[in-house]
Amino acid sequence: AHAVLNAVAARQPFAMPRFDKLADERLPEAHWPQLQQPLDLLVFEGWFLGTPAQDDDALDSPLNALEREADADGRWRRWCNQALARDYPALWQRCDRLWFLQPPDFSVVPRWRWQQEQNLQAAQPGRHGMSRPQLERFVQYYERVSRQALRTLPALADRVVVLSHRFWEESLGGRQGVVGTTLVLAGEALNFIRREPIVAFETRVPTIEGCSNTKSAGAAARDDHAMVFQPVSAPEDLFPL
């Protein structure tokens, strides 16, 4: 990753890494496209991009079946957390701006990931992916860091995009006038910038302080919009929408 970012910063030709989502591994370098022209903008996307490590005492208890059965002594989750604290901050610091696409909670992750898996398999019918039980276990490997991201990134990101139209309707009453106001979301004061259409997802409702009609666990609904927030303390020179 650092080599790619170095080449982009130097405006030099480079090979763009490619990931095979269905196989869950990086494609061989021979299959990476060669980019010859300098880039004006590079979007660096990652599941736990910008997420800080947990405190050591938060690792004591397993949080899902995978950790209880395969990591009873906590060795694996402590190794992951140490890597997150040691190896990744230098990479996070190279990001000029951090946008957080915030799902309502972790419970939607297996459903959204299964939707993606089905689409990938449909687009490549000659290949095999994961079954639903395999996928349910697969996402447990990432549950801990995902929950840490949900707890911490709203306060760290330059902009927060809440992926929930139901949130807009039930927590904010669908009021257009709330755009441009300051709200408290996950304990962080955020400016509500705008609302944008997104691809439909099934979601549940997150909570927001100061809204009496907020539901913490609403029924599944079809989502077609996202809400874009910016921390109150963020600089004014963020990339425009």
Side-chain angles (χ1 to χ4, degrees):
H2 285 287
V4 170
L5 294 178
N6 289 341
V8 171
R11 303 182 71 79
Q12 297 174 346
F14 68 98
M16 177 69 78
R18 281 288 180 265
F19 191 77
D20 185 339
K21 193 74 172 179
L22 197 56
D24 192 43
E25 62 184 21
R26 200 181 324 187
L27 285 173
E29 192 167 348
H31 296 282
W32 297 0
Q34 299 290 323
L35 301 185
Q36 302 297 326
Q37 299 298 320
L39 299 182
D40 295 320
L41 175 67
L42 177 67
V43 178
F44 181 24
E45 182 271 338
W47 193 322
F48 58 94
L49 189 68
T51 304
Q54 290 184 273
D55 294 334
D56 287 341
D57 57 4
L59 307 173
D60 292 339
S61 300
L63 57 71
N64 58 34
L66 176 72
E67 291 190 355
R68 286 191 298 271
E69 298 165 4
D71 189 40
D73 62 0
R75 184 183 312 175
W76 175 75
R77 57 184 179 268
R78 292 184 189 282
W79 179 88
C80 292
N81 198 58
Q82 289 168 3
L84 191 60
R86 180 188 62 241
D87 300 333
Y88 288 92
L91 184 59
W92 302 160
Q93 291 171 10
R94 301 193 65 171
C95 297
D96 296 309
R97 298 289 183 266
L98 177 63
W99 287 41
F100 179 39
L101 306 183
Q102 183 179 23
D105 53 43
F106 184 78
S107 68
V108 304
V109 172
R111 185 163 65 247
W112 289 1
R113 183 60 181 83
W114 177 240
Q115 182 186 43
Q116 182 185 55
E117 187 75 8
Q118 290 178 300
N119 291 338
L120 289 169
Q121 292 185 31
Q124 304 174 70
R127 301 180 60 191
H128 296 287
M130 289 182 282
S131 65
R132 185 64 183 265
Q134 288 173 327
L135 185 138
E136 293 281 350
R137 186 168 179 84
F138 170 78
V139 297
Q140 290 183 43
Y141 284 98
Y142 305 97
E143 181 173 357
R144 180 173 291 276
V145 72
S146 297
R147 291 186 181 278
Q148 173 71 347
L150 287 168
R151 282 190 296 268
T152 60
L153 289 186
L156 298 175
D158 296 301
R159 281 187 176 164
V160 179
V161 181
V162 178
L163 304 177
S164 178
H165 182 62
R166 190 179 180 90
F167 172 79
W168 162 263
E169 291 182 332
E170 296 199 1
S171 297
L172 305 177
R175 303 188 307 275
Q176 291 291 339
V178 78
V179 176
T181 63
T182 299
L183 306 172
V184 179
L185 182 63
E188 177 72 8
L190 301 171
N191 291 324
F192 186 1
I193 299 175
R194 65 190 298 174
R195 178 169 167 265
E196 292 287 345
I198 60 170
V199 177
F201 288 111
E202 290 185 352
T203 69
R204 289 166 58 185
V205 185
T207 59
I208 186 167
E209 296 179 19
C211 294
S212 60
N213 62 336
T214 296
K215 297 182 180 179
S216 59
R222 298 302 294 180
D223 245 330
D224 60 359
H225 283 77
M227 286 155 287
V228 183
F229 293 86
Q230 176 178 311
V232 171
S233 59
E236 296 299 326
D237 64 341
L238 295 174
F239 296 127
L241 294 173

